Amino acid sequence: MQNIFDVIIIGSGIVGVSTAWHLRALGFAGTIAIVERDPSFSHASTSLSVAGIWQQFSLKENIQMSLYGAKFLKEFAKEQNVDLGFQQHGYLFLARQEGKDALSANVARQRKLKADIALLTPALLQQHFPWLATDDLAAGALGLSNEGWFDSHRLHSSMRSAVRDWDVTLIKGYVAEIDHSDTEIRSVMLDAGRRLKCGHLVNATGPNAGTFSRMARIRLPVEPRKRTVFVVHGGAALTEMPALVDPTGVYLRPEEPFHLCGVSPHMAEDQRCDADDFEPDHELFERIIKPALMARIPALKSLKPIRAWAGHYDYNSFDQTAVLGPHTRLANFYFANGFSGIGLQQGPAAGRGVAELILHGAYQTLDLSRLGFERIVEKQPLQEENLI
Ligand SMILES: Cc1cc2nc3c(=O)[nH]c(=O)nc-3n(C[C@H](O)[C@H](O)[C@H](O)COP(=O)(O)OP(=O)(O)OC[C@H]3O[C@@H](n4cnc5c(N)ncnc54)[C@H](O)[C@@H]3O)c2cc1C
């Protein structure tokens, strides 16, 4: 049994798999292992997300990573001959007067980076979406291409098959210990007692990333935060509907024959959750989601929840932006963490970025250096303004 690898990736969700995939696609010929504690992925964020992709962010890097994600989805589907069900119906972000300037400024930035976003007046919103209540709105922003939702399960399983075919070793096990010196990681110990030596170690452990990093005495401010998704019966068929993000933060998107909706808890209520707490927060529906949606879309006469599930955001409590790249002291320990609710669409770009760092020691495609761990050490937040 092989116990020494050039690269060991911990976590086989979208980010870990994408890192291995890009290493191989970029020509890395060394040995690669991915260690995963639960190959059923029953509680991985990758399995529990709502699989949306959009470019309507405030940070340049987030816009670019999401654009790369959309390009990757299309190319991967074509090359692998797999239908990823990419529904490019757009995201529609709505703003009241107080949010109008920020929305307009973000759209200008997104368009400059070649994101295909239209800024709509209330009159245009009414014209395009007659079912929308626009009285209190001052503007809306709609993605005209490259935004929507896709079959994330198929993407993830297809990428896993591809890396297996590319001679990446998939190991089932829980990494319980990291052995390191002052400057490098030497090996990881699995719960079953197997020790794996590594050249490079990639932390792709999702919401567990903070806990995992502590094994190497690293303080990474990433923790699990619970997010509940409701499957609802809308009582009306809304045609040509984009994913909608209300000024209240409530979102809704079609999932034939139903809709999916949810909301992030208000900051004061939003706390770290237990790693094994997947009990949906049912009360959010009646208290926040239903009133917001009934007011915004009066045609939804009988909004009834059919079922709900909860997943964990890999939440960066420092600035809600991904942490990517090597540790400042342990030079062969790489972060690919803290995506704070947008890691599925960023998975392709994050994997490519880490692969480029391992292969070339520098980014080659997108300059993601501002996402490095240095900003955490220097206490310089890089805040994204537009998260759901
Ligand atoms: C409700 C919800 C909705 C979301 N909606 C969207 C969306 O619309 N668009 C979007 O882009 N993103 C969305 N996200 C976020 C996205 O799902 C995550 O950011 C992304 O899936 C993170 O991927 P990952 O591979 O880093 O983590 P994960 O998918 O969680 O994978 C990490 C893996 O690491 C394994 N692991 C952890 N610790 C260890 C260890 N010590 N040893 C071995 N294995 C270990 C875990 O078992 C897990 O399988 C959503 C998330 C949630 C919860």
Side-chain angles (χ1 to χ4, degrees), residues 10-16 35-38 41 44-46 48-52 54 91 173-175 204-208 212 215 227 229 311-314 336 339 341-345:
I10 314 302
S12 190
I14 191 69
V15 173
V35 183
E36 170 58 52
R37 65 182 171 189
D38 173 21
F41 302 102
S45 303
T46 297
L48 298 171
S49 92
V50 297
W54 61 96
Y91 264 69
Y174 173 74
V175 174
T205 57
N208 194 38
F212 178 79
M215 294 182 206
R227 295 294 182 265
V229 182
H312 293 166
Y313 269 13
D314 41 352
F339 297 95
I342 54 174
L344 199 66
Q345 62 194 282

Side-chain angles (χ1 to χ4, degrees), residues 11-130:
S12 190
I14 191 69
V15 173
V17 169
S18 167
T19 305
W21 192 93
H22 280 93
L23 274 168
R24 283 291 186 246
L26 296 175
F28 182 74
T31 51
I32 307 174
I34 310 183
V35 183
E36 170 58 52
R37 65 182 171 189
D38 173 21
S40 79
F41 302 102
S42 58
H43 293 106
S45 303
T46 297
S47 308
L48 298 171
S49 92
V50 297
I53 178 165
W54 61 96
Q55 286 86 46
Q56 298 186 52
F57 298 106
S58 61
L59 286 180
K60 179 183 83 173
E61 288 83 351
N62 285 341
I63 300 167
Q64 291 176 319
M65 287 174 85
S66 181
L67 276 171
Y68 179 83
K71 180 168 164 273
F72 182 85
L73 283 180
K74 292 182 212 164
E75 290 177 359
F76 185 84
K78 207 167 161 194
E79 279 162 24
Q80 304 282 322
N81 196 20
V82 50
D83 181 6
L84 296 177
F86 188 6
Q87 311 282 321
Q88 293 184 65
H89 297 306
Y91 264 69
L92 176 62
F93 283 79
L94 301 173
R96 297 196 182 104
Q97 193 55 41
E98 64 272 20
K100 185 182 171 189
D101 288 350
L103 187 85
S104 312
N106 283 343
V107 170
R109 191 169 307 136
Q110 291 147 12
R111 289 173 64 102
K112 226 170 160 181
L113 292 166
K114 307 242 179 317
D116 193 8
I117 314 292
L119 192 60
L120 303 177
T121 59
L124 280 172
L125 285 169
Q126 189 68 76
Q127 188 184 320
H128 288 295
F129 309 108

Side-chain angles (χ1 to χ4, degrees), residues 7-8 124 175 193 240 256 261 270-271 304 320 329 334 347:
V7 179
I8 299 184
L124 280 172
V175 174
E240 293 297 307
E256 295 288 338
C261 58
D270 192 20
Q271 303 292 332
K304 286 203 179 71
Q320 294 81 61
R329 188 169 39 79
Y334 292 80

